[in-house]
């Protein structure tokens, strides 16, 4: 017997597809990283985001996310920390555009792939709404009488980021080609400003408590 109910699985996959085609903060962050540093940096940021998502899925399955949800002070502290980090990245990108220094200064002091991975991981991990999303959404498709709930959550949780991969495979190369053309022209310096503004907006949105 499958550990997950096939009918619930079909409904979950459909719901995930609808969520994937709706742009969210993670997709916007990856887009900003790609515009600022190219396709390799975009994929590194994506890997970091997925690492953060994996942690959230594990915490939700273990029930830790429920403890965060029950502690308003901790939830607020995590939200402010994540928003502050995004705002800092945004300010760095905007400063780079003002200086006209190009992509080597964008969104931080270094543009190594490790730095892009770390930024994606931290921004996702410090967003408590991601954990609460898995805590509130995934259990809707769990049948407690079929197998342990934590096992079903560990099976269902990764399917959402997996379904998003094809969209990133289209988004990242397309954004990288556009960025390459712009950097070859006089408009190139504004890519840092665009990425910085995007990060700044995401930080303000998170700080304001927007659900998406």
């Amino acid at each position: 017997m499958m550990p997950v109910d096939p009918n619930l699985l079909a409904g979950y996959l459909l719901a995930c597809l609808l969520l994937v085609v709706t742009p969210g903060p993670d997709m916007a962050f990856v887009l900003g990283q790609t515009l600022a540093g190219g396709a390799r940096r975009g994929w590194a940021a994506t890997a970091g985001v997925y690492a953060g998502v994996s942690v959230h899925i594990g915490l939700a399955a273990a029930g830790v996310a429920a403890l965060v949800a029950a502690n308003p002070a901790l939830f607020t502290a995590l939200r402010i920390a994540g928003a502050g980090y995004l705002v800092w990245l945004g300010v760095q990108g905007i400063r780079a555009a003002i200086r006209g220094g190009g992509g080597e200064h964008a969104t931080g002091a270094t543009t190594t792939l490790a730095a892009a991975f770390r930024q994606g991981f931290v921004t996702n991990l410090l967003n408590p709404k991601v954990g609460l999303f898995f805590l509130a959404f995934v259990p809707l498709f769990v049948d407690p009488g079929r197998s342990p709930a934590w096992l079903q959550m560990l099976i269902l949780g990764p399917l959402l980021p997996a379904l998003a991969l094809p969209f990133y495979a289209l988004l990242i190369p397309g954004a990288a080609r556009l960025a390459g053309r712009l950097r070859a022209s006089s408009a190139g310096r504004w890519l840092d400003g665009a990425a910085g503004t995007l990060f700044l907006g995401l930080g303000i949105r998170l700080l304001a408590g927007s659900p998406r």
Side-chain angles (χ1 to χ4, degrees), residues 31-47:
L31 175 62
Q33 290 283 3
T34 304
L35 291 175
R40 293 183 65 194
R41 186 167 164 185
W43 280 115
T46 300

Side-chain angles (χ1 to χ4, degrees), residues 184-207:
S185 69
S186 58
R189 62 177 293 184
W190 298 108
L191 286 174
D192 292 333
T197 301
L198 186 60
F199 296 153
L200 186 62
L202 288 173
I204 294 174
R205 192 176 186 183
L206 179 59
L207 191 61

